[in-house]
Amino acid sequence: MRTLPLPLLRPVLAAALLLAAPVALAPAAYAAQQAAYPSPEEGEGGPYIVTLAPGADPEQVMRETGVVEARYVYASAVSGFAADLDGGQVAALRAHPDVTGVERDGEGVGAPVEGGATGPR
């Protein structure tokens, strides 16, 4: 078995540690985000985004699961809706065969962007 010479091994190990750090910190960041948004099963309602199977009718799914009003209905890139839901509605939606996802709505976290950046040219 060949081993890397020590001068080459140090930068390789340093790079591996730098790449592993964000992955190691991700579960803690996810747990903090989840703690900020209690689940509706604990009696808390809130804003949700519901995604549906292709071809499913958002208004029909809303009627069948007791959702009275949607904030937004999505029909172009994805089928679904955003609405304020209580725990019973979330449970009904998760059990519905046309629902592919029920996710708590919240703020997204991304990388900072330099001021004045306009995107690819």
Side-chain angles (χ1 to χ4, degrees), residues 95-116:
H96 196 283
D98 287 337
V99 174
T100 60
V102 180
E103 299 294 326
R104 187 83 179 201
D105 195 1
E107 292 185 23
V109 178
V113 178
E114 290 182 28

Side-chain angles (χ1 to χ4, degrees), residues 14-89:
L17 287 174
L18 286 173
L19 292 173
V23 174
L25 297 175
Y30 180 75
Q33 180 184 8
Q34 293 303 316
Y37 299 102
S39 77
E41 290 81 8
E42 297 168 5
E44 298 282 334
Y48 280 80
I49 296 177
V50 180
T51 52
L52 304 176
D57 178 17
E59 277 125 23
Q60 180 180 350
V61 172
M62 288 172 56
R63 280 191 305 273
E64 293 173 356
T65 56
V67 178
V68 178
E69 184 178 349
R71 290 179 176 205
Y72 305 102
V73 175
Y74 306 105
S76 296
V78 67
S79 178
F81 58 91
D84 290 319
L85 305 173
D86 62 32
Q89 291 167 324

